[in-house]
Amino acid sequence: MPLFSGEVQEWELIRSGKTKVDLAVFGSSRAFIHINPQILETELKQTVYNFGLNGSKFKMQYYRFNLYLKHNPKPKTIVWNLDTFSFSHIDEVFQPNQYAPFMLWNFNLYEALKDYKQTTIWDFILPLYRYRNQTYWKEQIASAKKEILEKDGFFREDGFKSYNREWKVNWKKLKKKNAEFDSQEYVLLEKLIKKCKKQNIQLIFTIAPEFYKGQDYMLNRDEIVSNYKKTLSKYNLPLLDYSDDSISHQQKYFYNTTHMNNVGADFFTKKLASDLKPYISK
């Protein structure tokens, strides 16, 4: 059942160990909405799956990555999309109940979630306790049943989901602010890099397009991107940054400042495939 924008299905697929691909995509919604695996497969002649995690920061993306390696053959290449908010501090994890089906006796998951204020150890040790709000779960199930699914019964196609949505941004309600950069979680980036190096997994980072006017609303954006570049340069890793690309200057490709519509996603993926070729062929 496609609960929480298909995330429960994606977690189940990863745990099943049935995914074997040459290239895996990781990141937030800006990965699973922006990067079309079918286009990458056609252009790169590689098998591809998109493991982008909706609404997530790097910490839970890293948890998904480790779970994937535990249950599935390692990919040759990982394309990891970084957001300027990947390491922003948050008190609550996005859609926490997507993890409910996998909580019981799962202390690795508890370790990943324990610092978020809605997490309680009782969800992990008492059977069915995590489903105590019956009204909530009935509403979620009813909502999931209305979703339009792919032929294989999944909400997403190879982990990808694009949206035919019109531009909808109220500039008057947007406020300029600094992203609260969490240096404690930033160490996970180097852990990822070292783990991939040890397992001989090629790692390529991207920053997917953001509508250029919206970029000005994160006051410390340049500082954050500079941190990324400094860290990746240390390990001689590429960062394909599309912040200033012509795509980021065309409103027709976006439905808000950080997410592209279906036309924009396909257009970007074709460009990304072209930019990946020199690295994939090495």
Side-chain angles (χ1 to χ4, degrees):
M1 184 174 293
L3 290 162
F4 309 109
S5 301
E7 289 299 353
V8 171
Q9 290 182 319
E10 299 303 317
W11 288 114
E12 288 175 340
L13 179 67
I14 291 170
R15 288 163 59 92
S16 74
K18 295 179 180 179
T19 304
K20 181 180 180 181
V21 293
D22 298 315
L23 189 154
V25 176
F26 284 89
S28 67
S29 59
R30 286 178 22 85
F32 92 77
I33 290 176
H34 289 177
I35 302 175
N36 188 333
Q38 292 189 334
I39 293 175
L40 292 185
E41 286 192 354
T42 300
E43 297 295 325
L44 301 176
K45 311 303 179 188
Q46 305 250 323
T47 53
V48 183
Y49 199 92
N50 191 325
F51 294 100
L53 176 57
N54 194 22
S56 63
K57 307 300 182 184
F58 192 87
K59 184 178 181 180
M60 294 313 298
Q61 296 167 24
Y62 186 61
Y63 173 81
R64 173 168 279 193
F65 161 76
N66 283 314
L67 189 70
Y68 173 77
L69 287 189
K70 179 180 179 181
H71 294 286
N72 301 271
K74 67 180 182 181
K76 297 176 183 177
T77 303
I78 287 177
V79 172
W80 201 297
N81 189 71
L82 292 172
D83 303 312
T84 49
F85 50 81
S86 290
F87 298 94
S88 297
H89 176 77
I90 55 172
D91 294 320
E92 298 183 13
V93 72
F94 185 69
Q95 293 181 335
N97 287 305
Q98 67 177 285
Y99 303 102
F102 316 106
M103 284 181 171
L104 192 62
W105 305 118
N106 188 346
F107 296 112
N108 287 331
L109 179 57
Y110 176 70
E111 284 297 315
L113 293 173
K114 68 179 183 180
D115 293 330
Y116 300 115
K117 67 180 184 181
Q118 70 268 56
T119 303
T120 170
I121 187 63
W122 300 112
D123 284 334
F124 294 82
I125 61 177
L126 291 180
L128 302 181
Y129 182 75
R130 58 202 186 279
Y131 299 116
R132 57 194 175 278
N133 188 339
Q134 292 292 298
T135 300
Y136 169 84
W137 282 103
K138 287 178 181 178
E139 291 174 351
Q140 292 301 316
I141 291 170
S143 177
K145 287 181 177 179
K146 297 177 182 178
E147 297 285 9
I148 299 174
L149 306 181
E150 300 292 334
K151 292 180 180 179
D152 59 3
F154 275 73
F155 179 71
R156 302 178 190 174
E157 188 170 14
D158 295 330
F160 170 72
K161 188 72 174 182
S162 63
Y163 295 95
N164 181 15
R165 293 174 176 171
E166 295 182 358
W167 174 261
K168 190 175 182 181
V169 173
N170 187 337
W171 293 106
K172 293 181 179 179
K173 289 186 177 181
L174 293 182
K175 295 182 179 180
K176 293 185 177 182
K177 61 181 180 180
N178 285 310
E180 190 177 348
F181 194 76
D182 193 330
S183 57
Q184 290 184 330
E185 290 196 5
Y186 192 62
V187 299
L188 295 177
L189 180 59
E190 292 202 52
K191 284 188 176 182
L192 167 70
I193 292 170
K194 291 175 181 178
K195 188 162 191 173
C196 286
K197 184 176 181 180
K198 185 177 181 179
Q199 298 206 24
N200 197 30
I201 299 172
Q202 182 184 31
L203 193 53
I204 302 169
F205 290 93
T206 62
I207 297 178
E210 297 176 46
F211 188 58
Y212 77 103
K213 288 185 179 179
Q215 295 178 29
D216 294 335
Y217 284 78
M218 183 177 287
L219 297 175
N220 59 340
R221 188 182 192 281
D222 289 343
E223 178 185 345
I224 291 171
V225 174
S226 178
N227 286 341
Y228 294 161
K229 290 179 178 179
K230 183 178 179 180
T231 300
L232 301 186
S233 177
K234 176 181 173 182
Y235 294 95
N236 196 29
L237 291 172
L239 174 62
L240 303 178
D241 183 4
Y242 296 90
S243 302
D244 294 323
D245 190 90
S246 60
I247 301 174
S248 293
H249 290 261
Q250 299 185 66
Q251 183 177 302
K252 65 180 181 179
Y253 290 134
F254 294 83
Y255 64 83
N256 62 32
T257 60
T258 55
H259 293 91
M260 289 183 287
N261 55 35
N262 57 323
V263 176
D266 285 355
F267 186 80
F268 165 60
T269 305
K270 289 176 182 177
K271 184 175 183 61
L272 175 62
S274 178
D275 292 341
L276 287 173
K277 285 180 180 180
Y279 298 99
I280 300 297
S281 61
K282 285 184 179 179

